Amino acid sequence: MINGLIAPHGGELIINMASERERAELQERARSLPQIEVGSRQLADLEMLAIGAYSPLSGFMNKADYLGSVNEMHLSNGLPWSVPITLSTTSEQAAPLHEGSQIALVNAQGTLQAVMIIEEKFGYDKQLEASQVYRTTDESHPGVNVVYQQGDVLLGGPVRVVALQRQAFANYRLTPAQSRQAFAERGWKRVVGFQTRNPVHRAHEYIQKCALETVDGLYLHPLVGDTKGDDIPAAVRMQCYEVLLENYYPANRVILGVLPAAMRYAGPREAIFHSLMRKNYGCSHFIVGRDHAGVGIYYGTYDAHYIFAEFDPAQLGITPMFFDHTFFCRACDAMASSKTCPHSGEDHVTLSGTKVRQMLQAGEIPPREFSRPEVAQVLIEAMRQPVA
């Protein structure tokens, strides 16, 4: 425990952001180093490494940690870790690079982002990673597609991050150290984290408030890194959270932050990954809903619940809170779930995503039992905006 809060994964936050003096030295050194351009996912990974959200990682995974994560969902030191954090490059780019040397990681504009020591360079089996991490080798899966498009060589080693990308949602971009400070200032010790890449509807609100009844505070922590092209843009989602919190949540019991990580759509594996990150942010509990981080038909409805049984709870450290599918039941005249409601589906207010989109596009607000009208209005206005 640190200040009464759960300890970070591995015991301490591993901050990989260079100090001001160190940044000047690294920028000078980088001028003579080979350059590797990194894409948006790796830029997000660098930010997560910089701020300690990926503790205990000090950089991109070496071969032992990579294989441990892919095959066993544990790092080489035995700590749980379910999604590999890697830096790939082409065989041509990797050929002149030597283990023990340094490289400069730059963005598409050539701006230095980090300096990395190449601890190892190694080949890997993309289909094995896909089948183990994503439970499919289907290239239509967005996460699998990213793996297949990567270079054939992985570079592993520690990084010192020099610069971060443009900081959208700056007021909400709390680092793990800052969120922990915010929790401590409020006297919170038991904090439940909630992961979302979608606007919060009544079912989400219900499970958040059920969880909040048992802890000190709620950390509403939407992911704002890369998502699928058909997901609702992060700026619109943030507006939805703001109007919801303004009208329906106790201000002294909820903090809204953002998670700048990229979405993997790894289903059960990502549920573990998301919980470990929230542990680093100071959450003692983590809400795992139906089909957490799922996409398409690749995962069973509650596979994200079942996977937690494969881990030693003491090693995970954070406590999962499992919730079934929730809905408004007209017969109960209340929000409920299959655990608590005895009535048939005819009494349940449930709408498909397609139906909701059709209603919003027509300027029609879904039933209050499904969505708060203020949230629906934000979405309607967003859909009226011309596509850039």
Side-chain angles (χ1 to χ4, degrees), residues 243-290:
V243 299
L244 190 68
L245 294 183
E246 182 180 349
N247 292 286
Y248 298 104
Y249 285 72
N252 63 335
R253 290 292 172 194
V254 184
I255 293 176
L256 174 63
V258 295
L259 182 76
M263 193 72 194
R264 262 77 175 178
Y265 301 95
R269 289 261 194 149
E270 197 155 7
I272 298 293
F273 182 49
H274 284 162
S275 68
L276 294 177
M277 283 190 281
R278 277 24 180 260
K279 177 184 178 183
N280 286 328
Y281 278 88
C283 296
S284 58
H285 295 69
F286 184 64
I287 294 171
V288 185
R290 185 176 65 117

Side-chain angles (χ1 to χ4, degrees), residues 5 13 15 51-52 174-183 280-282:
L5 294 167
L13 289 176
I15 309 296
I51 63 179
L174 303 179
T175 67
Q178 289 169 335
S179 64
R180 286 171 168 273
Q181 182 180 354
F183 300 162
N280 286 328
Y281 278 88

